[in-house]
Amino acid sequence: MKTIAAFLRLVRWPNLVFIVVTQLLFYYCVLQPTIGVNLKLSLPIFGMLGLSSVLIAAAGYIINDYFDLNIDQVNKPDAIVVQRFISRRWAIFWHFIFSSIGIVLAFYVSWELRNPIIGFANFGCVILLWLYSTTFKKQLLIGNILISLLTAWVILVLYFAEMRISRFDDPDYILAFKNVFKYAVLYSGFAFIISLIREVVKDMEDREGDDRYGCKTMPIVWGLQASKLFVGIWTIVLLASLGIIQVIGLFKGWWIGVLFSLLAVIFPLIMFLLDLKKAQTPSDFHRLSSLIKGIMLAGILTLLFFKWYL
């Protein structure tokens, strides 16, 4: 049981559940109501696409811990799984199995949908996650931006899976697909920005171990105050964008959705901004990282209101 629990920690099971919830909500609350009976992405194919996303993400977490063993012994020694509960050889084995199944499923979905984008893009995600773990995460901003883009891809992959170029001469389909594009950009943009914020906050939390092993993350290269300024600016950009969206929602009469967004997303973001200024210790930044994760979940849950309003 200890090994099973450790393995679940290794693959970050709460994050995998988050991927599943995000894709399910976008599928049922945006794609189905917008496209309707002509939905190309059938439930079985959607399930295989979602499983591909989850397996590739799990493989990414495994390989990240595999290469981060030394750093994690400094930053979070009590949370280490690789080598303590699961050998490095088995970690590589599970990374290979999960990645392989995820890629095969993605190419099968591509074949079923007659859409090559999905297979090659998910194959690219596996390569990028490996490169992130070995190289990019130790470099200034590159790793942060890469993980943020991959987080946004969790939503964008559904948009590209539903895309049907053969129906671009159908005015009704074009109108519906424009709406899907609008919501895909809205939520993938939210996912990108808030993930970028969280990645830099995590770098601030882990700066001691990262510095010891030669990483060039933002807090190490620019310093703590400059990193806080970077996070603060992006938080203000996100708040301003969300504020504009709430005004649009009020004009549409989406009162309950706006109220939920204010209480669960915007106000916590303001609290995050205030607490960021005072944060100094790794435990302070860990709390901020957890807060951002909660805000991200609340933001994704606003998809439920599209099921209601659409």
Side-chain angles (χ1 to χ4, degrees), residues 10 15 33 78 83 93 96 100 109 162 188 192 206 265 268 287 296 301:
L10 178 64
N15 293 356
D78 297 333
Q83 205 165 281
F93 171 79
F96 175 77
S100 299
V109 169
E162 183 55 32
S188 62
F192 174 84
D206 295 339
V265 181
R287 285 195 296 273
M296 186 183 296
L301 289 177

Short mmCIF file of all heavy atoms in Angstrom, two decimals, residues 10 15 33 78 83 93 96 100 109 162 188 192 206 265 268 287 296 301:
data_model
loop_
_atom_site.label_atom_id
_atom_site.label_comp_id
_atom_site.label_asym_id
_atom_site.label_seq_id
_atom_site.Cartn_x
_atom_site.Cartn_y
_atom_site.Cartn_z
N LEU A 10 3.85 10.23 -6.97
CA LEU A 10 4.82 10.44 -8.05
C LEU A 10 4.15 11.01 -9.29
O LEU A 10 4.70 11.90 -9.95
CB LEU A 10 5.50 9.11 -8.37
CG LEU A 10 6.52 9.10 -9.52
CD1 LEU A 10 7.71 9.99 -9.20
CD2 LEU A 10 6.98 7.68 -9.82
N ASN A 15 -3.34 16.48 -9.78
CA ASN A 15 -3.19 17.22 -11.03
C ASN A 15 -3.79 16.45 -12.21
O ASN A 15 -4.34 17.06 -13.14
CB ASN A 15 -1.71 17.50 -11.30
CG ASN A 15 -1.11 18.45 -10.29
OD1 ASN A 15 -1.80 18.97 -9.42
ND2 ASN A 15 0.18 18.68 -10.38
N PRO A 33 -22.92 21.94 -26.12
CA PRO A 33 -23.98 22.93 -26.34
C PRO A 33 -23.77 23.79 -27.58
O PRO A 33 -24.72 24.22 -28.21
CB PRO A 33 -23.92 23.80 -25.07
CG PRO A 33 -23.19 23.00 -24.07
CD PRO A 33 -22.23 22.15 -24.84
N ASP A 78 11.22 15.16 2.34
CA ASP A 78 10.19 14.24 2.84
C ASP A 78 9.23 13.77 1.75
O ASP A 78 8.47 12.83 1.97
CB ASP A 78 9.37 14.93 3.95
CG ASP A 78 10.24 15.26 5.17
OD1 ASP A 78 11.25 14.55 5.37
OD2 ASP A 78 9.92 16.22 5.88
N GLN A 83 13.62 6.39 -5.88
CA GLN A 83 14.76 5.82 -5.17
C GLN A 83 14.40 5.43 -3.73
O GLN A 83 15.01 4.52 -3.17
CB GLN A 83 15.97 6.77 -5.16
CG GLN A 83 17.30 6.05 -5.00
CD GLN A 83 18.48 6.92 -5.35
OE1 GLN A 83 18.79 7.12 -6.52
NE2 GLN A 83 19.12 7.48 -4.33
N PHE A 93 10.90 2.93 -16.57
CA PHE A 93 9.99 1.96 -17.19
C PHE A 93 8.58 2.53 -17.27
O PHE A 93 7.94 2.48 -18.34
CB PHE A 93 10.00 0.66 -16.38
CG PHE A 93 8.93 -0.32 -16.81
CD1 PHE A 93 9.10 -1.10 -17.94
CD2 PHE A 93 7.75 -0.44 -16.08
CE1 PHE A 93 8.11 -2.00 -18.35
CE2 PHE A 93 6.76 -1.33 -16.48
CZ PHE A 93 6.94 -2.11 -17.61
N PHE A 96 8.23 5.29 -19.81
CA PHE A 96 8.17 4.76 -21.17
C PHE A 96 6.79 4.17 -21.47
O PHE A 96 6.22 4.43 -22.54
CB PHE A 96 9.25 3.69 -21.36
CG PHE A 96 9.18 2.99 -22.69
CD1 PHE A 96 9.66 3.61 -23.84
CD2 PHE A 96 8.62 1.72 -22.80
CE1 PHE A 96 9.57 2.98 -25.07
CE2 PHE A 96 8.54 1.08 -24.03
CZ PHE A 96 9.02 1.71 -25.17
N SER A 100 4.29 5.88 -24.14
CA SER A 100 3.99 5.09 -25.34
C SER A 100 2.49 4.91 -25.53
O SER A 100 1.97 5.11 -26.64
CB SER A 100 4.67 3.72 -25.24
OG SER A 100 6.07 3.85 -25.16
N VAL A 109 -6.63 8.47 -32.19
CA VAL A 109 -7.64 9.54 -32.26
C VAL A 109 -7.47 10.35 -33.53
O VAL A 109 -8.45 10.69 -34.21
CB VAL A 109 -7.54 10.44 -31.01
CG1 VAL A 109 -8.39 11.71 -31.19
CG2 VAL A 109 -7.98 9.69 -29.76
N GLU A 162 -11.86 18.92 -32.55
CA GLU A 162 -13.20 19.14 -33.12
C GLU A 162 -13.15 19.85 -34.46
O GLU A 162 -14.13 19.87 -35.21
CB GLU A 162 -14.04 19.94 -32.12
CG GLU A 162 -15.48 20.20 -32.55
CD GLU A 162 -16.25 18.93 -32.87
OE1 GLU A 162 -15.97 17.87 -32.25
OE2 GLU A 162 -17.11 18.99 -33.78
N SER A 188 -7.89 28.75 -22.28
CA SER A 188 -6.48 28.39 -22.43
C SER A 188 -5.59 29.58 -22.07
O SER A 188 -4.50 29.40 -21.50
CB SER A 188 -6.19 27.92 -23.86
OG SER A 188 -6.45 28.94 -24.80
N PHE A 192 -2.83 29.52 -19.22
CA PHE A 192 -1.44 29.89 -19.49
C PHE A 192 -0.94 30.91 -18.46
O PHE A 192 0.13 30.72 -17.85
CB PHE A 192 -1.31 30.47 -20.89
CG PHE A 192 0.07 31.00 -21.19
CD1 PHE A 192 1.06 30.15 -21.63
CD2 PHE A 192 0.36 32.36 -21.02
CE1 PHE A 192 2.35 30.63 -21.88
CE2 PHE A 192 1.64 32.84 -21.27
CZ PHE A 192 2.63 31.98 -21.70
N ASP A 206 11.55 27.07 -4.34
CA ASP A 206 12.61 26.07 -4.49
C ASP A 206 13.98 26.67 -4.76
O ASP A 206 14.90 25.96 -5.18
CB ASP A 206 12.26 25.11 -5.64
CG ASP A 206 11.02 24.29 -5.34
OD1 ASP A 206 10.65 24.15 -4.16
OD2 ASP A 206 10.40 23.79 -6.30
N VAL A 265 -12.57 33.63 -7.71
CA VAL A 265 -11.39 33.84 -8.57
C VAL A 265 -10.78 35.23 -8.34
O VAL A 265 -9.59 35.34 -8.01
CB VAL A 265 -11.77 33.68 -10.07
CG1 VAL A 265 -10.53 33.87 -10.94
CG2 VAL A 265 -12.37 32.30 -10.32
N PRO A 268 -9.79 36.09 -4.41
CA PRO A 268 -8.58 35.35 -4.02
C PRO A 268 -7.32 35.82 -4.75
O PRO A 268 -6.23 35.79 -4.17
CB PRO A 268 -8.94 33.90 -4.39
CG PRO A 268 -10.41 33.84 -4.29
CD PRO A 268 -10.88 35.18 -4.78
N ARG A 287 2.42 28.28 0.35
CA ARG A 287 1.01 28.64 0.57
C ARG A 287 0.46 29.41 -0.63
O ARG A 287 -0.68 29.19 -1.05
CB ARG A 287 0.87 29.48 1.84
CG ARG A 287 0.97 28.69 3.13
CD ARG A 287 0.47 29.49 4.31
NE ARG A 287 1.28 30.68 4.54
CZ ARG A 287 2.38 30.70 5.29
NH1 ARG A 287 2.79 29.59 5.89
NH2 ARG A 287 3.07 31.81 5.44
N MET A 296 -7.03 28.41 -9.83
CA MET A 296 -7.10 27.77 -11.15
C MET A 296 -8.28 26.82 -11.23
O MET A 296 -9.02 26.81 -12.23
CB MET A 296 -5.79 27.01 -11.42
CG MET A 296 -5.69 26.43 -12.82
SD MET A 296 -4.18 25.45 -13.08
CE MET A 296 -2.92 26.71 -12.88
N LEU A 301 -13.93 25.75 -13.01
CA LEU A 301 -15.31 25.41 -12.64
C LEU A 301 -16.34 26.40 -13.18
O LEU A 301 -17.52 26.08 -13.26
CB LEU A 301 -15.44 25.32 -11.11
CG LEU A 301 -14.76 24.11 -10.46
CD1 LEU A 301 -14.91 24.16 -8.94
CD2 LEU A 301 -15.34 22.79 -10.99
#
